[in-house]
Amino acid sequence: MDLAVLWFILIAVLWIGYFCLEGFDFGVGMLLPVLGKSRLDGAAGVADTERRKRVMLTAIGPHWDGNEVWLLTAGGATFAAFREWYATLFDGFYLALLLILVALIVRVLGFEYRGKGETAAWRSGWDKMIVFGSFIPALLWGVAFGNIVRGTPLRIRENELGQGVEFAGSFFSLLNPFALVGGLTTLFLFLTHGAIFLALKTDGDIRHDARALATKLGAVAALFAVVFLVWTNLLRGNTGSWILSGVAAVTLLAALAANHVGREGWAFVGTFITILAAVAALFTALFPDVMPSTADPNATLTIAKDHGFYAANSALTLKIMTGAALVFTPIVVAYQGWTYWMFRKRLTTKHIPGVSSAPERVEA
């Protein structure tokens, strides 16, 4: 197989891994004020709310930072294998990517500092940061991939280093209807994925609330996903992308059915495969281009030899990267698999000690 094609596939796999794994912890973060709210009133309700939120954060605590490794690896692999793609992407999407980066940093600070204060106001402030840091990437990653698949205004530039490709649009040109539907698709898919993960990982009231909410969120996610994937395939689809889109639709419906009857494990597998198939459909529709141009066909970044601007790095670079991937990828996958196995048991509020119901600890 051509090494450029191999690395296109590997980068697709890395993004699939990132969205399937980080997708559920984005969802849990966004649902913190919803599923974290107690049904009780008064001081008991305040203490129970804190316990519920800590159960939710504990459920994703062992996993969220490991899930972000997939993003770092995908970005690094794109730079090393397709330097022109990486440069053009960051040139055109820099405001959106900067916003995502800020959101991810704020989210990490929320996880790290929320438990270091004793007041409700302190925790509430960091809760908002976690919600913000989960919402922005969940929405903007979909917008970004919508634009990548649809195409952006690219043009050939020339300077003292030779020819290259540059973005000729603006931040607001990225906010087109197709990309916004893509953003809403990832947003609701991740919310559904997160709610089902919580139903799988918890017990008691949180589990039942998460199951009920997952059904409602899943219905909205299915609506946006169908519109986005059909629209994608009408724009530049092929047989493979149509089949993968069909798989995504079927597995999402199966996941919702499994969730309805209390089979959370199968439901989580269903949403996992839904995201996998949907992202794979986007990359399949995109191939062999990596970033189409809507302004100049010659500026389309591609790994095909017969049109556009060839985006792959040298064969030697790709050979070295392939060797490194063969060594380190199994190690990363094995480590992550071990963490999921070690922290596989369900959590309840009874596992959260040290939360007082004393009203003097509450400031808001």
Side-chain angles (χ1 to χ4, degrees), residues 136-156:
I136 292 297
L139 177 69
L140 291 188
W141 280 130
V143 173
F145 271 81
N147 278 293
I148 291 173
V149 175
R150 170 183 173 269
T152 54
L154 305 178
R155 65 187 177 195
I156 300 288

Side-chain angles (χ1 to χ4, degrees), residues 90-113:
F90 274 77
D91 175 37
F93 295 8
Y94 71 96
L95 275 179
L97 294 176
L98 178 63
L99 191 54
I100 290 174
L101 179 62
V102 170
L104 291 176
I105 292 172
V106 165
R107 182 168 174 263
V108 171
L109 292 174
F111 288 145
E112 296 293 339
Y113 283 92

Side-chain angles (χ1 to χ4, degrees), residues 257-274:
N259 177 68
H260 182 70
V261 297
R263 302 296 297 272
E264 293 100 342
W266 285 110
F268 185 72
V269 171
T271 50
F272 191 100
I273 296 175
T274 297

Side-chain angles (χ1 to χ4, degrees), residues 33-89:
V34 180
L35 292 176
K37 188 174 182 180
S38 174
R39 299 174 180 176
L40 305 177
D41 297 324
V46 173
D48 190 50
T49 293
E50 175 59 15
R51 287 193 187 94
R52 288 173 68 110
K53 289 182 177 178
R54 286 176 59 179
V55 165
M56 294 172 68
L57 295 175
T58 303
I60 59 173
H63 309 302
W64 67 265
D65 50 354
N67 295 341
E68 291 191 345
V69 169
W70 291 80
L71 172 62
L72 299 175
T73 310
T78 305
F79 173 75
F82 304 105
R83 188 175 57 245
E84 195 68 38
W85 184 13
Y86 182 91
T88 306
L89 190 64

Side-chain angles (χ1 to χ4, degrees), residues 13-326:
V13 170
L14 290 170
W15 280 108
I16 288 168
Y18 176 61
F19 287 136
C20 288
L21 295 176
E22 187 102 288
F24 71 74
D25 65 56
F26 281 151
V28 173
M30 288 186 284
L31 293 172
L32 199 60
V34 180
L35 292 176
K37 188 174 182 180
S38 174
R39 299 174 180 176
L40 305 177
D41 297 324
V46 173
D48 190 50
T49 293
E50 175 59 15
R51 287 193 187 94
R52 288 173 68 110
K53 289 182 177 178
R54 286 176 59 179
V55 165
M56 294 172 68
L57 295 175
T58 303
I60 59 173
H63 309 302
W64 67 265
D65 50 354
N67 295 341
E68 291 191 345
V69 169
W70 291 80
L71 172 62
L72 299 175
T73 310
T78 305
F79 173 75
F82 304 105
R83 188 175 57 245
E84 195 68 38
W85 184 13
Y86 182 91
T88 306
L89 190 64
F90 274 77
D91 175 37
F93 295 8
Y94 71 96
L95 275 179
L97 294 176
L98 178 63
L99 191 54
I100 290 174
L101 179 62
V102 170
L104 291 176
I105 292 172
V106 165
R107 182 168 174 263
V108 171
L109 292 174
F111 288 145
E112 296 293 339
Y113 283 92
R114 184 184 187 280
K116 297 187 185 300
E118 293 296 323
T119 66
W122 172 272
R123 292 192 293 262
S124 175
W126 288 116
D127 288 349
K128 291 182 176 67
M129 295 299 101
I130 293 171
V131 173
F132 170 81
S134 302
F135 171 81
I136 292 297
L139 177 69
L140 291 188
W141 280 130
V143 173
F145 271 81
N147 278 293
I148 291 173
V149 175
R150 170 183 173 269
T152 54
L154 305 178
R155 65 187 177 195
I156 300 288
R157 57 159 170 75
E158 294 192 21
N159 56 28
E160 63 276 9
L161 299 176
Q163 276 196 337
V165 171
E166 65 183 8
F167 180 72
S170 68
F171 173 76
F172 294 102
S173 68
L174 301 177
L175 303 178
N176 54 79
F178 175 75
L180 290 175
V181 172
L184 292 171
T185 301
T186 52
L187 179 69
F188 280 97
L189 275 179
F190 292 166
L191 281 167
T192 307
H193 200 35
I196 289 177
F197 177 78
L198 275 179
L200 174 65
K201 286 291 296 178
T202 61
D203 210 345
D205 289 344
I206 299 180
R207 177 186 179 186
H208 298 298
D209 292 347
R211 275 183 54 199
L213 185 59
T215 300
K216 299 173 184 174
L217 291 170
V220 181
L223 176 64
F224 282 116
V226 167
V227 172
F228 181 59
L229 290 175
V230 169
W231 199 345
T232 298
N233 284 294
L234 292 176
L235 279 177
R236 54 178 299 133
N238 52 46
T239 303
S241 62
W242 275 107
I243 292 173
L244 287 165
S245 299
V247 171
V250 170
T251 51
L252 181 56
L253 293 176
L256 296 180
N259 177 68
H260 182 70
V261 297
R263 302 296 297 272
E264 293 100 342
W266 285 110
F268 185 72
V269 171
T271 50
F272 191 100
I273 296 175
T274 297
I275 296 172
L276 183 156
V279 180
L282 296 182
F283 275 92
T284 303
L286 189 62
F287 183 83
D289 299 334
V290 296
M291 200 163 177
S293 172
T294 57
D296 179 4
N298 293 324
T300 289
L301 291 172
T302 182
I303 54 175
K305 299 289 179 65
D306 57 349
H307 74 279
F309 195 96
Y310 191 64
N313 289 349
S314 70
L316 177 60
T317 301
L318 298 180
K319 285 180 182 177
I320 294 172
M321 289 177 60
T322 304
L326 288 174

